[in-house]
């Protein structure tokens, strides 16, 4: 059985002793019931994983002896960004978890005309922190040593401007009648960078689609059935990783 993997926040990992406290320590001791002498693998999101042994277990802490790390690359060759219209918390949580498992490099929540309202300040910071924890856990589970970057929500015009240099740029729209995802992927078979825009639960407005296409995004249909936001995001990321990335290849 492979050693369990755990994400460690804070100061970068390295050989020596490392102390983990709080919720993560309680999860290790009370839920997983790991004890002194057990071997684990630690990672901090920098691309390196570190074999470690548990030296001490307390009510609120776990102390590890960390060995030298090894840089192990399990990342896709496709530099893939998901730009996602702000949706209900449960939908955002699900999408962030699944697209992290599928290998996206970054996730950008986007404020659109029909998006869920974003609360700035402490509430917004708490929500962003939750998304980061979900991505960390999904990276742990899927064996990734890099955790996708999750940006604070971006205004729609800023998102378009910031993706100016990206090679393949797609906006998915249920009302598109001429461009298909299949055709776009066939025409861009050699792309190594991609940004995909997925709308919130209410979809994109015609004005937003027009602005995106003017900024170089290709509008594509996902077929004759209308997909929910979470279904569309997971489906498109899967197809891009299959056609342009590493999904379906031998490890």
């Amino acid at each position: 059985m492979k050693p369990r993997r755990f994400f460690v926040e804070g100061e970068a990992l390295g050989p020596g002793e490392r102390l983990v406290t709080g919720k993560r320590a309680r999860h290790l001791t009370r839920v997983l019931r790991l004890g002194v002498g057990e071997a684990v693998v630690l990672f901090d999101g920098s691309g390196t994983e570190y074999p470690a042994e548990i030296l001490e277990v307390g009510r609120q802490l776990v102390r590890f002896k960390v060995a030298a790390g090894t840089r192990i690359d399990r990342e896709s060759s496709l530099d893939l960004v998901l730009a996602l219209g702000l949706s209900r918390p449960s939908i955002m949580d699900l999408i962030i978890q699944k697209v992290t498992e599928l290998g996206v490099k970054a996730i950008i929540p986007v404020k659109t005309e029909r998006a869920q309202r974003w609360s700035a300040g402490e509430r917004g910071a708490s929500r962003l922190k939750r998304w980061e924890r979900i991505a960390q856990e999904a990276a742990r589970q899927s064996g990734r040593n890099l955790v996708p970057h999750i940006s604070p929500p971006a205004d729609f015009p800023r998102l378009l401007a910031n993706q100016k240099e990206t090679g393949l740029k797609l906006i998915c729209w249920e009302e598109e009648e001429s461009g298909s995802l299949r055709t776009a992927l066939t025409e861009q078979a050699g792309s190594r960078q991609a940004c995909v825009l997925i709308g919130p639960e209410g979809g994109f407005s015609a004005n937003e689609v027009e602005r995106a296409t003017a900024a170089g995004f290709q509008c594509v249909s996902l077929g004759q059935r209308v997909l929910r936001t979470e279904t569309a995001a997971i489906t498109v990321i899967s197809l891009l990783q299959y056609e342009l990335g590493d999904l379906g290849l031998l490890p």
Side-chain angles (χ1 to χ4, degrees), residues 236-250:
V236 173
I237 295 301
S238 298
L239 289 171
L240 263 74
Q241 289 287 33
Y242 182 81
E243 292 291 339
L244 306 177
D246 64 348
L247 190 61
L249 299 178
L250 288 171

mmCIF file with all atom_site columns, all heavy atoms in Angstrom, residues 236-250:
data_model
loop_
_atom_site.group_PDB
_atom_site.id
_atom_site.type_symbol
_atom_site.label_atom_id
_atom_site.label_alt_id
_atom_site.label_comp_id
_atom_site.label_asym_id
_atom_site.label_entity_id
_atom_site.label_seq_id
_atom_site.pdbx_PDB_ins_code
_atom_site.Cartn_x
_atom_site.Cartn_y
_atom_site.Cartn_z
_atom_site.occupancy
_atom_site.B_iso_or_equiv
_atom_site.pdbx_formal_charge
_atom_site.auth_seq_id
_atom_site.auth_comp_id
_atom_site.auth_asym_id
_atom_site.auth_atom_id
_atom_site.pdbx_PDB_model_num
ATOM 1   N N   . VAL A 1 236 ? -15.804 19.940 -20.787 1.00 0.00 ? 236 VAL A N   1
ATOM 2   C CA  . VAL A 1 236 ? -14.871 20.648 -21.671 1.00 0.00 ? 236 VAL A CA  1
ATOM 3   C C   . VAL A 1 236 ? -13.426 20.450 -21.222 1.00 0.00 ? 236 VAL A C   1
ATOM 4   O O   . VAL A 1 236 ? -12.534 20.195 -22.044 1.00 0.00 ? 236 VAL A O   1
ATOM 5   C CB  . VAL A 1 236 ? -15.227 22.148 -21.739 1.00 0.00 ? 236 VAL A CB  1
ATOM 6   C CG1 . VAL A 1 236 ? -14.170 22.914 -22.516 1.00 0.00 ? 236 VAL A CG1 1
ATOM 7   C CG2 . VAL A 1 236 ? -16.586 22.332 -22.384 1.00 0.00 ? 236 VAL A CG2 1
ATOM 8   N N   . ILE A 1 237 ? -13.179 20.548 -19.918 1.00 0.00 ? 237 ILE A N   1
ATOM 9   C CA  . ILE A 1 237 ? -11.812 20.343 -19.429 1.00 0.00 ? 237 ILE A CA  1
ATOM 10  C C   . ILE A 1 237 ? -11.349 18.918 -19.745 1.00 0.00 ? 237 ILE A C   1
ATOM 11  O O   . ILE A 1 237 ? -10.202 18.701 -20.163 1.00 0.00 ? 237 ILE A O   1
ATOM 12  C CB  . ILE A 1 237 ? -11.731 20.626 -17.919 1.00 0.00 ? 237 ILE A CB  1
ATOM 13  C CG1 . ILE A 1 237 ? -12.024 22.106 -17.635 1.00 0.00 ? 237 ILE A CG1 1
ATOM 14  C CG2 . ILE A 1 237 ? -10.359 20.237 -17.373 1.00 0.00 ? 237 ILE A CG2 1
ATOM 15  C CD1 . ILE A 1 237 ? -11.094 23.082 -18.314 1.00 0.00 ? 237 ILE A CD1 1
ATOM 16  N N   . SER A 1 238 ? -12.227 17.949 -19.578 1.00 0.00 ? 238 SER A N   1
ATOM 17  C CA  . SER A 1 238 ? -11.875 16.559 -19.894 1.00 0.00 ? 238 SER A CA  1
ATOM 18  C C   . SER A 1 238 ? -11.527 16.401 -21.369 1.00 0.00 ? 238 SER A C   1
ATOM 19  O O   . SER A 1 238 ? -10.533 15.751 -21.729 1.00 0.00 ? 238 SER A O   1
ATOM 20  C CB  . SER A 1 238 ? -13.033 15.622 -19.534 1.00 0.00 ? 238 SER A CB  1
ATOM 21  O OG  . SER A 1 238 ? -13.315 15.653 -18.157 1.00 0.00 ? 238 SER A OG  1
ATOM 22  N N   . LEU A 1 239 ? -12.338 16.991 -22.242 1.00 0.00 ? 239 LEU A N   1
ATOM 23  C CA  . LEU A 1 239 ? -12.098 16.857 -23.678 1.00 0.00 ? 239 LEU A CA  1
ATOM 24  C C   . LEU A 1 239 ? -10.805 17.545 -24.106 1.00 0.00 ? 239 LEU A C   1
ATOM 25  O O   . LEU A 1 239 ? -10.056 17.019 -24.935 1.00 0.00 ? 239 LEU A O   1
ATOM 26  C CB  . LEU A 1 239 ? -13.290 17.415 -24.454 1.00 0.00 ? 239 LEU A CB  1
ATOM 27  C CG  . LEU A 1 239 ? -14.570 16.573 -24.374 1.00 0.00 ? 239 LEU A CG  1
ATOM 28  C CD1 . LEU A 1 239 ? -15.748 17.316 -24.987 1.00 0.00 ? 239 LEU A CD1 1
ATOM 29  C CD2 . LEU A 1 239 ? -14.375 15.224 -25.068 1.00 0.00 ? 239 LEU A CD2 1
ATOM 30  N N   . LEU A 1 240 ? -10.529 18.718 -23.540 1.00 0.00 ? 240 LEU A N   1
ATOM 31  C CA  . LEU A 1 240 ? -9.277  19.400 -23.881 1.00 0.00 ? 240 LEU A CA  1
ATOM 32  C C   . LEU A 1 240 ? -8.069  18.605 -23.403 1.00 0.00 ? 240 LEU A C   1
ATOM 33  O O   . LEU A 1 240 ? -7.065  18.492 -24.120 1.00 0.00 ? 240 LEU A O   1
ATOM 34  C CB  . LEU A 1 240 ? -9.253  20.814 -23.294 1.00 0.00 ? 240 LEU A CB  1
ATOM 35  C CG  . LEU A 1 240 ? -9.667  21.913 -24.278 1.00 0.00 ? 240 LEU A CG  1
ATOM 36  C CD1 . LEU A 1 240 ? -11.163 21.893 -24.528 1.00 0.00 ? 240 LEU A CD1 1
ATOM 37  C CD2 . LEU A 1 240 ? -9.233  23.286 -23.781 1.00 0.00 ? 240 LEU A CD2 1
ATOM 38  N N   . GLN A 1 241 ? -8.158  18.050 -22.202 1.00 0.00 ? 241 GLN A N   1
ATOM 39  C CA  . GLN A 1 241 ? -7.032  17.250 -21.709 1.00 0.00 ? 241 GLN A CA  1
ATOM 40  C C   . GLN A 1 241 ? -6.863  15.970 -22.530 1.00 0.00 ? 241 GLN A C   1
ATOM 41  O O   . GLN A 1 241 ? -5.740  15.497 -22.729 1.00 0.00 ? 241 GLN A O   1
ATOM 42  C CB  . GLN A 1 241 ? -7.232  16.902 -20.229 1.00 0.00 ? 241 GLN A CB  1
ATOM 43  C CG  . GLN A 1 241 ? -7.082  18.087 -19.278 1.00 0.00 ? 241 GLN A CG  1
ATOM 44  C CD  . GLN A 1 241 ? -5.644  18.543 -19.120 1.00 0.00 ? 241 GLN A CD  1
ATOM 45  O OE1 . GLN A 1 241 ? -4.832  18.479 -20.043 1.00 0.00 ? 241 GLN A OE1 1
ATOM 46  N NE2 . GLN A 1 241 ? -5.318  19.033 -17.939 1.00 0.00 ? 241 GLN A NE2 1
ATOM 47  N N   . TYR A 1 242 ? -7.962  15.421 -23.018 1.00 0.00 ? 242 TYR A N   1
ATOM 48  C CA  . TYR A 1 242 ? -7.867  14.212 -23.846 1.00 0.00 ? 242 TYR A CA  1
ATOM 49  C C   . TYR A 1 242 ? -7.267  14.524 -25.215 1.00 0.00 ? 242 TYR A C   1
ATOM 50  O O   . TYR A 1 242 ? -6.391  13.810 -25.707 1.00 0.00 ? 242 TYR A O   1
ATOM 51  C CB  . TYR A 1 242 ? -9.249  13.579 -24.011 1.00 0.00 ? 242 TYR A CB  1
ATOM 52  C CG  . TYR A 1 242 ? -9.228  12.297 -24.810 1.00 0.00 ? 242 TYR A CG  1
ATOM 53  C CD1 . TYR A 1 242 ? -8.871  11.091 -24.213 1.00 0.00 ? 242 TYR A CD1 1
ATOM 54  C CD2 . TYR A 1 242 ? -9.544  12.293 -26.164 1.00 0.00 ? 242 TYR A CD2 1
ATOM 55  C CE1 . TYR A 1 242 ? -8.833  9.917  -24.943 1.00 0.00 ? 242 TYR A CE1 1
ATOM 56  C CE2 . TYR A 1 242 ? -9.509  11.130 -26.907 1.00 0.00 ? 242 TYR A CE2 1
ATOM 57  C CZ  . TYR A 1 242 ? -9.152  9.941  -26.292 1.00 0.00 ? 242 TYR A CZ  1
ATOM 58  O OH  . TYR A 1 242 ? -9.108  8.780  -27.031 1.00 0.00 ? 242 TYR A OH  1
ATOM 59  N N   . GLU A 1 243 ? -7.723  15.602 -25.835 1.00 0.00 ? 243 GLU A N   1
ATOM 60  C CA  . GLU A 1 243 ? -7.279  15.924 -27.191 1.00 0.00 ? 243 GLU A CA  1
ATOM 61  C C   . GLU A 1 243 ? -5.909  16.610 -27.225 1.00 0.00 ? 243 GLU A C   1
ATOM 62  O O   . GLU A 1 243 ? -5.111  16.369 -28.133 1.00 0.00 ? 243 GLU A O   1
ATOM 63  C CB  . GLU A 1 243 ? -8.309  16.832 -27.870 1.00 0.00 ? 243 GLU A CB  1
ATOM 64  C CG  . GLU A 1 243 ? -9.642  16.155 -28.166 1.00 0.00 ? 243 GLU A CG  1
ATOM 65  C CD  . GLU A 1 243 ? -9.534  15.096 -29.248 1.00 0.00 ? 243 GLU A CD  1
ATOM 66  O OE1 . GLU A 1 243 ? -8.567  15.137 -30.037 1.00 0.00 ? 243 GLU A OE1 1
ATOM 67  O OE2 . GLU A 1 243 ? -10.420 14.226 -29.312 1.00 0.00 ? 243 GLU A OE2 1
ATOM 68  N N   . LEU A 1 244 ? -5.631  17.472 -26.235 1.00 0.00 ? 244 LEU A N   1
ATOM 69  C CA  . LEU A 1 244 ? -4.422  18.297 -26.286 1.00 0.00 ? 244 LEU A CA  1
ATOM 70  C C   . LEU A 1 244 ? -3.457  18.039 -25.134 1.00 0.00 ? 244 LEU A C   1
ATOM 71  O O   . LEU A 1 244 ? -2.306  18.470 -25.188 1.00 0.00 ? 244 LEU A O   1
ATOM 72  C CB  . LEU A 1 244 ? -4.800  19.786 -26.283 1.00 0.00 ? 244 LEU A CB  1
ATOM 73  C CG  . LEU A 1 244 ? -5.784  20.248 -27.360 1.00 0.00 ? 244 LEU A CG  1
ATOM 74  C CD1 . LEU A 1 244 ? -6.117  21.725 -27.161 1.00 0.00 ? 244 LEU A CD1 1
ATOM 75  C CD2 . LEU A 1 244 ? -5.220  20.011 -28.754 1.00 0.00 ? 244 LEU A CD2 1
ATOM 76  N N   . GLY A 1 245 ? -3.932  17.378 -24.085 1.00 0.00 ? 245 GLY A N   1
ATOM 77  C CA  . GLY A 1 245 ? -3.109  17.163 -22.897 1.00 0.00 ? 245 GLY A CA  1
ATOM 78  C C   . GLY A 1 245 ? -2.728  15.711 -22.705 1.00 0.00 ? 245 GLY A C   1
ATOM 79  O O   . GLY A 1 245 ? -2.359  15.017 -23.653 1.00 0.00 ? 245 GLY A O   1
ATOM 80  N N   . ASP A 1 246 ? -2.862  15.231 -21.451 1.00 0.00 ? 246 ASP A N   1
ATOM 81  C CA  . ASP A 1 246 ? -2.358  13.894 -21.126 1.00 0.00 ? 246 ASP A CA  1
ATOM 82  C C   . ASP A 1 246 ? -3.430  12.913 -20.673 1.00 0.00 ? 246 ASP A C   1
ATOM 83  O O   . ASP A 1 246 ? -3.108  11.797 -20.278 1.00 0.00 ? 246 ASP A O   1
ATOM 84  C CB  . ASP A 1 246 ? -1.289  14.002 -20.033 1.00 0.00 ? 246 ASP A CB  1
ATOM 85  C CG  . ASP A 1 246 ? -1.847  14.537 -18.718 1.00 0.00 ? 246 ASP A CG  1
ATOM 86  O OD1 . ASP A 1 246 ? -2.994  15.030 -18.700 1.00 0.00 ? 246 ASP A OD1 1
ATOM 87  O OD2 . ASP A 1 246 ? -1.126  14.465 -17.704 1.00 0.00 ? 246 ASP A OD2 1
ATOM 88  N N   . LEU A 1 247 ? -4.702  13.295 -20.734 1.00 0.00 ? 247 LEU A N   1
ATOM 89  C CA  . LEU A 1 247 ? -5.756  12.392 -20.283 1.00 0.00 ? 247 LEU A CA  1
ATOM 90  C C   . LEU A 1 247 ? -5.857  11.188 -21.217 1.00 0.00 ? 247 LEU A C   1
ATOM 91  O O   . LEU A 1 247 ? -5.939  11.336 -22.437 1.00 0.00 ? 247 LEU A O   1
ATOM 92  C CB  . LEU A 1 247 ? -7.099  13.127 -20.233 1.00 0.00 ? 247 LEU A CB  1
ATOM 93  C CG  . LEU A 1 247 ? -8.258  12.381 -19.560 1.00 0.00 ? 247 LEU A CG  1
ATOM 94  C CD1 . LEU A 1 247 ? -7.944  12.088 -18.103 1.00 0.00 ? 247 LEU A CD1 1
ATOM 95  C CD2 . LEU A 1 247 ? -9.549  13.187 -19.670 1.00 0.00 ? 247 LEU A CD2 1
ATOM 96  N N   . GLY A 1 248 ? -5.827  9.999  -20.646 1.00 0.00 ? 248 GLY A N   1
ATOM 97  C CA  . GLY A 1 248 ? -5.903  8.774  -21.433 1.00 0.00 ? 248 GLY A CA  1
ATOM 98  C C   . GLY A 1 248 ? -4.560  8.173  -21.786 1.00 0.00 ? 248 GLY A C   1
ATOM 99  O O   . GLY A 1 248 ? -4.501  7.061  -22.324 1.00 0.00 ? 248 GLY A O   1
ATOM 100 N N   . LEU A 1 249 ? -3.461  8.885  -21.474 1.00 0.00 ? 249 LEU A N   1
ATOM 101 C CA  . LEU A 1 249 ? -2.124  8.360  -21.765 1.00 0.00 ? 249 LEU A CA  1
ATOM 102 C C   . LEU A 1 249 ? -1.623  7.497  -20.615 1.00 0.00 ? 249 LEU A C   1
ATOM 103 O O   . LEU A 1 249 ? -2.070  7.633  -19.473 1.00 0.00 ? 249 LEU A O   1
ATOM 104 C CB  . LEU A 1 249 ? -1.141  9.511  -21.996 1.00 0.00 ? 249 LEU A CB  1
ATOM 105 C CG  . LEU A 1 249 ? -1.445  10.457 -23.159 1.00 0.00 ? 249 LEU A CG  1
ATOM 106 C CD1 . LEU A 1 249 ? -0.396  11.555 -23.217 1.00 0.00 ? 249 LEU A CD1 1
ATOM 107 C CD2 . LEU A 1 249 ? -1.498  9.697  -24.477 1.00 0.00 ? 249 LEU A CD2 1
ATOM 108 N N   . LEU A 1 250 ? -0.674  6.627  -20.907 1.00 0.00 ? 250 LEU A N   1
ATOM 109 C CA  . LEU A 1 250 ? -0.035  5.852  -19.854 1.00 0.00 ? 250 LEU A CA  1
ATOM 110 C C   . LEU A 1 250 ? 0.790   6.782  -18.974 1.00 0.00 ? 250 LEU A C   1
ATOM 111 O O   . LEU A 1 250 ? 1.400   7.739  -19.466 1.00 0.00 ? 250 LEU A O   1
ATOM 112 C CB  . LEU A 1 250 ? 0.874   4.782  -20.455 1.00 0.00 ? 250 LEU A CB  1
ATOM 113 C CG  . LEU A 1 250 ? 0.172   3.599  -21.133 1.00 0.00 ? 250 LEU A CG  1
ATOM 114 C CD1 . LEU A 1 250 ? 1.196   2.745  -21.863 1.00 0.00 ? 250 LEU A CD1 1
ATOM 115 C CD2 . LEU A 1 250 ? -0.596  2.771  -20.114 1.00 0.00 ? 250 LEU A CD2 1
#
